[in-house]
Amino acid sequence: MQAEERAFADARRHAIYQVAHAPLRTYPFPHVFVEDILPAAFYRRLLANLPGARAYDPDDATGAERVEGRRAIRGARRGCNRMGAERAGFWSSAFDAFDHVEFGGWLTAKFYETISGRLGLDNAAAHTDLATRVHLVRDASPAPLRPPAGVPGR
């Protein structure tokens, strides 16, 4: 594994550790608040490589609720072709690192009880394959973040 690839894998494993040890909060909906989810040096690199506004799609590009001022890059291939080569390389590697079975597996495990209850899964369906998706969201909206549609108490 080369140094650059190792840096992304290390950031992913750091994030997994932070998520795994963060308390699950249930109000107003199940979530975790994770401080220092990324190593400080990696986070500085991430900030330095944030793409310009034209790299993002409108937030409703995949059917999500449209919020004025909220835009997203949904996966490496969607926005990386609209940024410079160096930034594209960084974000392609970042999407690959976090859209990874290791990270997705930990997220699924952390929220499995909530997910299984919401989807009506029972013990027989305990091995249901669930997929995670990684998005980079740019939010210049005054609208508050809310739970997804269908979550009780929304």
Side-chain angles (χ1 to χ4, degrees):
M1 185 181 294
Q2 295 186 359
E4 186 69 2
E5 189 179 345
R6 188 172 28 259
F8 284 95
D10 289 348
R12 179 181 61 241
R13 290 187 186 106
H14 178 93
I16 288 168
Y17 181 88
Q18 296 298 90
V19 168
H21 291 87
L24 183 60
R25 300 171 187 209
T26 57
Y27 181 81
F29 53 88
H31 67 285
V32 292
F33 177 78
V34 184
E35 293 191 55
D36 302 320
I37 192 166
L38 298 171
F42 186 85
Y43 186 67
R44 285 190 297 274
R45 281 187 67 201
L46 183 145
L47 291 176
N49 281 286
L50 282 174
R54 70 182 198 89
Y56 297 81
D57 291 321
D59 194 40
D60 64 349
T62 60
E65 179 180 343
R66 183 171 177 77
V67 176
E68 194 62 41
R70 193 171 293 157
R71 300 175 66 79
I73 297 172
R74 290 174 168 45
R77 310 303 169 245
R78 294 286 302 261
C80 289
N81 61 345
R82 294 184 302 243
M83 58 182 86
E86 188 174 327
R87 276 198 171 99
F90 176 87
W91 285 105
S92 181
S93 295
F95 279 112
D96 288 347
F98 288 93
D99 194 12
H100 187 278
V101 66
E102 183 181 27
F103 188 64
W106 276 96
L107 286 176
T108 301
K110 184 75 172 188
F111 290 99
Y112 190 77
E113 188 175 315
T114 300
I115 294 167
S116 61
R118 192 156 173 219
L119 298 177
L121 302 176
D122 57 21
N123 289 337
H127 298 289
T128 300
D129 287 331
L130 299 172
T132 56
R133 294 179 302 199
V134 176
H135 306 304
L136 176 62
V137 177
R138 181 181 177 129
D139 195 344
S141 164
L145 291 176
R146 298 186 326 203
V151 171
R154 177 171 179 199

